[in-house]
Amino acid sequence: MGGGEQKYVQEAFDTNWVAPLGPNVDNFEKSITQFLSDNVYVAALSSGTAAIHLALELLGVNRGDEVICQSFTFSASANPIMYLGATPVFVDSEKDTWNISPKLLEEAIEDRIAKGKKPKAIVAVHLYGMPYKVDEISQISKKYDIPVVEDSAEALGSSFNDEKCGTFGDIGILSFNGNKIITTSGGGALIAKDEVIKKKAVFLATQARDDAPHYQHSSVGYNYRMSNILAGIGRGQMEVLQNRVDQRRHNFDFYKKHLAHLPEIEFLEEQNAYYSNRWLTCILTPSFAIREKLRLALQEDDVESRPLWKPMHLQPVFTEFPHYSDGTSEDLFNRGLCLPSGSNLSENDLERIVELILTKI
Ligand SMILES: *Cc1c(COP(=O)(O)O)cnc(C)c1O
């Protein structure tokens, strides 16, 4: 926490705004808008997963539809496709950004159309805070007229061409879960380009109550709005967002400075005009065996590290669904490791981790 959070939470208590609406919710949305762009409309929600669910529903995804999803991601990118009774179609990553491959995406779209069904939406992810190939993905989306849900859960504070991640898709989403770059303990947001879409999102997120004196419902709603207490935490967190990005980027720079000379360790670089929040610092080793040796050696000294996300097309729950892969994300999963990346790591912590890696690799 940065310090300001308790003030806004106290305000909610003092004014008795203990509900899933109130001044903190409005002001948190305002500060996210100010950070992202004047041209977006933000709805604060209970989670990033809820935001993806509503985004897909607002884009018209129905039972039996197909939705393309980046395979190399956290399961929350894909689960909402299942909630809607739609079919996920997984697409592999490219080596430059570790995100959805424009080439495989286009192949997948062509093949799904040839098989008789045009996908209803594309879920593209800025994994680990690294922007996906924004221009290429937008072009494909336009060419085939398929909207993009931009999963920016890990990329608040990242940008491409000085434009913020979260503003590139037809609908963007953010997460404020406990592990993200800023947090409300749990929470998320939907980013719309049009006020009407934001209003529809809030309507669905508050049980889809029609305008009537009694409780009247013409559609099925959800209980997905953010609490005014948690939005108070969010307001305080927005004040330290850039500081958190600087800390995470410092972690990356420190690891790179002290480890990049090792032949066993490779870092993911930013593409031209990219700015990554470096949510997690990830490395690639030459093999699964070396990755595991390093991970277990760190664990022995109580330093936690984790393999990269296991691709969705390799997850037991999703094996029955179509996928378009060339082995890239599977290879990243086998050889990659997330190093300790908290915003609160001290210089001493970083030095100790680097020293361990240098002696154990
Ligand atoms: C965290 C995360 C989500 C989901 O956000 P929650 O707020 O935890 O529901 C979605 N996609 C990605 C890539 C994430 O890392």
Side-chain angles (χ1 to χ4, degrees):
M1 294 292 103
E5 295 86 355
Q6 276 181 320
K7 180 182 76 187
Y8 299 114
V9 171
Q10 189 63 47
E11 248 174 57
F13 276 68
D14 291 344
T15 54
N16 209 26
W17 276 106
V18 183
L21 80 168
N24 279 336
V25 174
D26 299 340
N27 284 306
F28 183 37
E29 289 177 345
K30 223 175 269 171
S31 67
I32 298 168
T33 306
Q34 265 164 17
F35 180 81
L36 292 177
S37 148
D38 291 339
N39 304 318
V40 298
Y41 300 84
V42 173
L45 301 172
S46 55
S47 72
T49 310
I52 296 172
H53 188 184
L54 292 185
L56 291 171
E57 180 159 334
L58 289 165
L59 292 172
V61 174
N62 277 311
R63 195 160 291 276
D65 287 338
E66 291 191 350
V67 175
I68 289 183
C69 182
Q70 179 168 323
S71 184
F72 193 45
T73 186
F74 176 51
S75 65
S77 306
N79 283 335
I81 301 168
M82 306 295 289
Y83 305 165
L84 288 161
T87 301
V89 174
F90 294 109
V91 172
D92 212 336
S93 288
E94 42 130 31
K95 292 184 174 65
D96 291 353
T97 65
W98 297 359
N99 291 314
I100 192 163
S101 154
K103 182 172 153 280
L104 289 174
L105 173 60
E106 193 152 8
E107 279 175 29
I109 294 171
E110 294 275 2
D111 192 53
R112 297 328 289 174
I113 292 172
K115 289 191 161 69
K117 222 175 221 177
K118 188 169 114 173
K120 266 295 190 58
I122 300 161
V123 180
V125 189
H126 307 298
L127 210 62
Y128 301 115
M130 186 61 76
Y132 60 70
K133 292 263 174 81
V134 171
D135 286 340
E136 288 84 343
I137 301 304
S138 297
Q139 256 166 30
I140 294 169
S141 156
K142 277 205 194 81
K143 177 173 170 189
Y144 293 95
D145 193 24
I146 305 173
V148 172
V149 174
E150 180 193 2
D151 182 343
S152 205
E154 302 178 1
L156 180 56
S158 299
S159 58
F160 169 63
N161 266 341
D162 288 327
E163 290 184 60
K164 296 283 198 297
C165 286
T167 65
F168 298 119
D170 292 81
I171 298 181
I173 75 96
L174 298 173
S175 167
F176 309 109
N177 193 29
N179 60 341
K180 299 306 199 287
I181 191 141
I182 61 166
T183 180
T184 58
S185 73
L190 181 144
I191 303 155
K193 298 286 164 59
D194 180 337
E195 195 168 15
V196 174
I197 299 292
K198 177 202 162 158
K199 286 197 166 137
K200 280 189 190 165
V202 171
F203 171 76
L204 289 173
T206 51
Q207 307 288 21
R209 244 189 103 183
D210 295 340
D211 195 11
H214 54 278
Y215 280 84
Q216 168 100 4
H217 306 273
S218 316
S219 38
V220 174
Y222 307 92
N223 185 3
Y224 278 173
R225 197 68 162 128
M226 179 178 276
S227 149
N228 194 57
I229 304 289
L230 301 189
I233 301 178
R235 286 179 77 185
Q237 286 276 282
M238 284 306 288
E239 295 171 357
V240 294
L241 171 56
Q242 188 54 50
N243 171 273
R244 295 291 182 268
V245 172
D246 294 344
Q247 287 165 317
R248 302 273 172 152
R249 285 180 65 89
H250 174 72
N251 291 341
F252 177 86
D253 291 342
F254 190 98
Y255 285 128
K256 192 178 158 195
K257 182 171 158 207
H258 293 94
L259 299 172
H261 66 280
L262 295 171
E264 295 94 342
I265 293 184
E266 205 184 310
F267 291 88
L268 181 64
E269 295 301 332
E270 289 161 317
Q271 301 286 302
N272 186 35
Y274 271 45
Y275 179 82
S276 167
N277 68 7
R278 295 292 186 188
W279 174 54
L280 300 185
T281 294
C282 307
I283 57 168
L284 275 187
T285 66
S287 67
F288 175 77
I290 293 175
R291 200 284 305 282
E292 275 306 90
K293 189 180 96 180
L294 185 57
R295 188 180 69 81
L296 294 169
L298 289 170
Q299 187 172 288
E300 230 165 72
D301 273 51
D302 287 332
V303 174
E304 188 188 25
S305 65
R306 281 219 191 131
L308 304 186
W309 296 121
K310 180 171 181 173
M312 291 306 112
H313 71 277
L314 302 176
Q315 296 287 357
V317 66
F318 293 129
T319 40
E320 70 190 273
F321 299 111
H323 61 89
Y324 296 81
S325 50
D326 63 6
T328 300
S329 62
E330 184 167 2
D331 181 52
L332 293 170
F333 171 60
N334 285 329
R335 297 194 289 120
L337 195 64
C338 304
L339 297 179
S341 300
S343 306
N344 55 357
L345 285 174
S346 66
E347 285 311 276
N348 270 346
D349 293 330
L350 287 167
E351 276 163 23
R352 181 174 151 234
I353 298 160
V354 160
E355 204 53 45
L356 261 174
I357 294 173
L358 288 170
T359 51
K360 302 280 177 101
I361 192 113

